[in-house]
Amino acid sequence: MVNKSISEINDRIKDGSVSVVTAEEMVGIVAELGAEGAAKEVDIVTTGTFGAMCSSGVFLNFGHSEPPIKMQKIWLNDVEAYTGVAAVDAYIGATQVSETLGMEYGGAHVIEDLIRGNAIDVHAISPGTDCYPRKILDTTIDINDLNQAIMLNPRNAYQKYNAATNSTSQKLYTYMGSLMPNFGNVTYSGAGVLSPLSNDPEYRTIGTGTRIFLGGAQGYIVGQGTQHSSKSGFGTLMVQGDLKEMDTEFIRASTFTGYGVSLYVGMGIPIPVLDEKVALATAVSDADIITKVIDYGIPSRDRPVVRQVTYEELRSGSIDIKGREVVTSSLSSFKRSRQIAGLLKDWIAHGEFFLSQPAEKLPSDTVSRPMKQTRGTPMVKDIMSKNVITIHKNASVYEAAKKVMDASFNHLPVVTENNTLVGIVTAWDISKAVAQNTFDLVENIMTKKVITAMDSEQVTIAARRLEQHRVSAMPVVDEQNHVIGIITSDDISMLFARRN
Amino acid sequence: MKIRIIIDQDIVTRPILAEAILETGIPLNIAQAHFDSAAGEIIADIKDTEYRMIKNALVSRGAEVLKLDTPINWDEEECVECGACISVCPTKVFSMDMEWNLKVDNTKCIQCGTCIEMCPHDALSLDV
């Protein structure tokens, strides 16, 4: 039985006799020496990860202006920060986007610019009070002008993360990057063998107060992160550190096209090998960490699972989906994760980093519940017109024109004898045919590729499809492609107008 | 070398590619092709010495021919070597070596620009 304490290990760091390895190196050590032998041999295992962590931000204190202001709203380089916390405190969140540049520049870029020492334009407004009379403030500062710049990230270092793919025929732009049509690629995130929480999945050593590597500096774990879902193996951490000590090698702004801004955060956690159980946990390899490939083509909270997969398979460069080899891309950097684990190892070996005893363990039985929604979400069937006027594909353009006039509908779904949808004609198509003197059959002037909706779909989803395809109406069809209604952008605007 | 052949709507139905190949006897190696009712676009590999001949044959039939000789720029300062670009590139310009360093083989680039919007760090660009 091996039984070490954190203070014993710290004594070894002090006298230089500490034995420290990375989580990658530990896999082989445990395989060779067994858990007990490895626990005797190794005092500390270092982990590392470097990837997009949206739930990140920095608390800033600007000091008081003359005359003083109680900031009600504040913008840093045109990116709004939250200042509902005292007079001159603000929280700049990583994903907030610029009012002028949009997704190109956001909170994450402000944070990177602060670390780089670049000048930041500050604009703040206030209603003015007897104690804080100033109403408008404009100034330019850099990180050295701030009293504090404390990174506080509510949710970082996911134990592991679902991989993403796309079953639809359209390219998708997501926070998992571009997902190519028809299972064209798979993207994933996480450091696998080096992942901090995967190396201590029972949180036997990691907890509130654990000293860590954060963004190139020494930081701390505050406690469980938001959405900490330890029961299902998706634990998260809330962490804090001094931005003034950080390095842009390990904190980087990023933009995911069509999605928005995020912050790449570098983090490393030292795991003290207190006993055999800890040693065994740190022997986890890419092959042991299982996650799911999720189909982002389905715009729902409950996206379908395409298959299970290990990090070993993901990192091999391609995986099999439905009999096809699909290329995988990592969104997190394994090279930099490895660099972080190595750097933390060096700090410890050189007596520059000591372990701390956590004050509290992380909860191990939490689940992340979905949102409680008290208002019904409208379905397409609730707002579609059921008395839809259709036209037969062999009808003449003249008949179509007459139907449009009589029914005052702009869109006529084109159907066969048994009401199966084969196309759509609009008032514009008819005008065009008339203008070109082509008094033809409807079949020859209709649009054949029809964008449709299902009656059981949420209106929000149908509305997004209207927007993406720039059409103003969609026939509603059943499973057999029979027309059962029509939904127009007017129906949708009326629904939202009523709600407001 | 790689070339891009653009065929406009009014001639997209004519077999100008086949005609140009027959006339010159140059075997175009087609790497990518996209056709719809509005236009056609082909990326092809040819020998440098054949460029002038095939260009003339295609241009005389109404096509536009461009050299793809300015491949993707890689900003190694901005790059964090995540590898996001790897799975979206149609011609395998990007790969990881054994040590997880990103390798960029510019010679395979067909300047489609797909990787530019994938890169989270704005590390890839094309000269316009």
Side-chain angles (χ1 to χ4, degrees):
Chain A
M1 275 292 283
V2 181
N3 192 0
K4 282 181 254 183
S5 72
I6 288 185
S7 66
E8 279 167 32
I9 296 174
N10 275 340
D11 286 343
R12 284 179 209 160
I13 297 177
K14 204 178 281 171
D15 68 25
S17 67
V18 71
S19 159
V20 52
V21 302
T22 70
E24 240 183 323
E25 294 163 339
M26 189 64 168
V27 180
I29 296 172
V30 175
E32 193 186 322
L33 305 178
E36 195 179 345
K40 279 184 192 147
E41 191 68 32
V42 177
D43 296 321
I44 301 171
V45 172
T46 61
T47 62
T49 186
F50 182 77
M53 304 191 195
C54 286
S55 188
S56 299
V58 180
F59 274 107
L60 308 167
N61 179 280
F62 298 91
H64 286 290
S65 60
E66 179 60 28
I69 185 170
K70 179 167 87 74
M71 296 169 172
Q72 194 189 37
K73 277 183 175 286
I74 185 173
W75 292 264
L76 305 169
N77 284 351
D78 261 350
V79 180
E80 191 173 4
Y82 180 72
T83 182
V85 276
V88 288
D89 283 330
Y91 183 77
I92 177 82
T95 64
Q96 187 71 272
V97 298
S98 156
E99 310 252 328
T100 42
L101 297 174
M103 290 180 198
E104 250 175 72
Y105 189 92
H109 298 86
V110 174
I111 293 167
E112 186 180 324
D113 272 335
L114 278 168
I115 300 176
R116 288 190 190 280
N118 293 341
I120 307 283
D121 288 331
V122 178
H123 174 66
I125 55 169
S126 163
T129 69
D130 287 346
C131 45
Y132 292 107
R134 188 173 198 136
K135 290 191 172 186
I136 294 182
L137 177 101
D138 281 285
T139 183
T140 302
I141 55 118
D142 67 38
I143 196 167
N144 300 311
D145 303 315
L146 296 164
N147 287 317
Q148 282 82 21
I150 301 169
M151 177 169 276
L152 180 73
N153 303 342
R155 178 168 73 254
N156 275 183
Y158 256 109
Q159 199 157 341
K160 58 187 180 183
Y161 208 81
N162 289 327
T165 191
N166 168 19
S167 67
T168 71
S169 56
Q170 303 249 326
K171 184 171 172 181
L172 298 176
Y173 296 94
T174 73
Y175 64 86
M176 294 297 285
S178 310
L179 298 176
M180 307 307 267
N182 308 314
F183 301 111
N185 67 338
V186 168
T187 61
Y188 67 98
S189 193
V193 60
L194 284 171
S195 161
L197 288 180
S198 286
N199 277 277
D200 185 12
E202 290 174 27
Y203 320 128
R204 297 186 71 243
T205 71
I206 296 176
T208 294
T210 297
R211 188 179 290 122
I212 60 171
F213 173 108
L214 183 63
Q218 296 191 13
Y220 293 90
I221 292 174
V222 175
Q224 62 170 311
T226 56
Q227 260 168 255
H228 178 67
S229 185
S230 41
K231 234 178 181 170
S232 58
F234 286 85
T236 72
L237 295 174
M238 188 180 293
V239 298
Q240 68 113 327
D242 187 350
L243 194 76
K244 294 189 177 198
E245 305 288 317
M246 291 186 191
D247 182 342
T248 53
E249 266 304 280
F250 305 109
I251 297 287
R252 278 294 179 89
S254 63
T255 294
F256 288 86
T257 303
Y259 167 73
V261 174
S262 188
L263 188 70
Y264 272 60
V265 176
M267 189 192 304
I269 300 184
I271 298 175
V273 186
L274 303 175
D275 53 33
E276 295 89 332
K277 273 188 179 170
V278 176
L280 200 59
T282 54
V284 72
S285 71
D286 285 331
D288 303 322
I289 306 173
I290 299 166
T291 189
K292 296 169 193 154
V293 181
I294 301 286
D295 180 7
Y296 276 63
I298 309 300
S300 160
R301 185 173 62 200
D302 303 309
R303 298 188 180 100
V305 177
V306 177
R307 59 165 285 185
Q308 290 217 323
V309 70
T310 66
Y311 271 81
E312 184 178 42
E313 292 172 291
L314 287 169
R315 287 181 55 206
S316 74
S318 65
I319 63 166
D320 182 283
I321 292 182
K322 298 183 197 299
R324 254 182 55 211
E325 279 298 292
V326 178
V327 181
T328 59
S329 264
S330 172
L331 299 173
S332 49
S333 168
F334 191 75
K335 183 179 172 187
R336 222 159 269 200
S337 304
R338 192 184 252 175
Q339 207 180 330
I340 289 167
L343 206 53
L344 183 54
K345 175 180 155 177
D346 286 350
W347 286 359
I348 292 168
H350 294 110
E352 293 160 16
F353 185 106
F354 289 86
L355 304 186
S356 66
Q357 180 82 47
E360 195 85 61
K361 284 191 166 183
L362 298 176
S364 58
D365 57 352
T366 58
V367 288
S368 175
R369 288 169 299 147
M371 185 186 288
K372 174 185 177 186
Q373 280 161 290
T374 53
R375 304 203 188 163
T377 46
M379 299 291 183
V380 167
K381 63 169 167 279
D382 302 328
I383 65 162
M384 70 182 188
S385 311
K386 290 190 182 90
N387 59 338
V388 53
I389 312 293
T390 60
I391 191 154
H392 192 273
K393 66 185 174 68
N394 293 333
S396 68
V397 169
Y398 173 78
E399 282 169 87
K402 206 160 169 320
K403 275 203 170 180
V404 166
M405 286 295 292
D406 292 348
S408 70
F409 265 141
N410 275 328
H411 298 81
L412 292 178
V414 183
V415 294
T416 60
E417 286 77 13
N418 67 353
N419 197 32
T420 303
L421 182 73
V422 290
I424 193 161
V425 286
T426 64
W428 190 85
D429 295 327
I430 297 168
S431 316
K432 186 180 163 197
V434 171
Q436 294 175 340
N437 255 328
T438 46
F439 287 95
D440 212 337
L441 295 181
V442 164
E443 192 176 19
N444 298 324
I445 67 157
M446 71 186 185
T447 302
K448 293 197 183 77
K449 204 179 159 201
V450 193
I451 312 299
T452 60
M454 304 284 279
D455 68 343
S456 57
E457 267 184 313
Q458 303 232 4
V459 172
T460 318
I461 306 295
R464 180 149 175 87
R465 194 171 318 124
L466 275 180
E467 208 174 86
Q468 275 175 335
H469 294 278
R470 292 175 195 181
V471 292
S472 53
M474 292 189 289
V476 181
V477 293
D478 64 13
E479 307 274 322
Q480 284 78 42
N481 209 28
H482 294 154
V483 178
I484 55 172
I486 190 160
I487 180 168
T488 67
S489 47
D490 284 350
D491 296 334
I492 293 167
S493 341
M494 262 151 61
L495 171 77
F496 291 116
R498 268 207 307 279
R499 299 185 130 197
N500 295 334
Chain B
M1 70 188 288
K2 287 186 163 46
I3 56 169
R4 172 182 282 144
I5 306 161
I6 299 155
I7 301 171
D8 275 346
Q9 188 170 16
D10 46 333
I11 52 166
V12 80
T13 53
R14 289 175 27 208
I16 66 166
L17 206 57
E19 286 171 16
I21 292 169
L22 285 174
E23 181 195 298
T24 58
I26 293 170
L28 277 183
N29 187 14
I30 296 176
Q32 263 208 341
H34 177 80
F35 279 89
D36 57 32
S37 57
E41 189 181 283
I42 297 138
I43 309 286
D45 260 319
I46 51 162
K47 289 191 189 122
D48 291 3
T49 50
E50 298 166 343
Y51 175 68
R52 189 136 297 280
M53 250 174 96
I54 195 85
K55 184 184 173 178
N56 289 343
L58 286 163
V59 169
S60 68
R61 290 174 171 81
E64 196 183 335
V65 179
L66 300 170
K67 273 191 203 178
L68 293 182
D69 54 2
T70 47
I72 200 84
N73 299 314
W74 176 34
D75 183 342
E76 293 184 54
E77 278 297 301
E78 285 297 332
C79 181
V80 302
E81 293 172 85
C82 60
C85 46
I86 294 172
S87 73
V88 296
C89 174
T91 55
K92 296 192 170 16
V93 168
F94 309 99
S95 60
M96 286 287 179
D97 71 6
M98 297 300 283
E99 293 301 309
W100 299 92
N101 298 302
L102 186 73
K103 295 285 157 201
V104 181
D105 181 357
N106 263 340
T107 59
K108 294 178 179 167
C109 181
I110 56 168
Q111 298 174 44
C112 65
T114 312
C115 59
I116 298 175
E117 52 177 32
M118 178 59 154
C119 177
H121 295 275
D122 211 6
L124 297 167
S125 61
L126 279 173
D127 299 327
V128 264

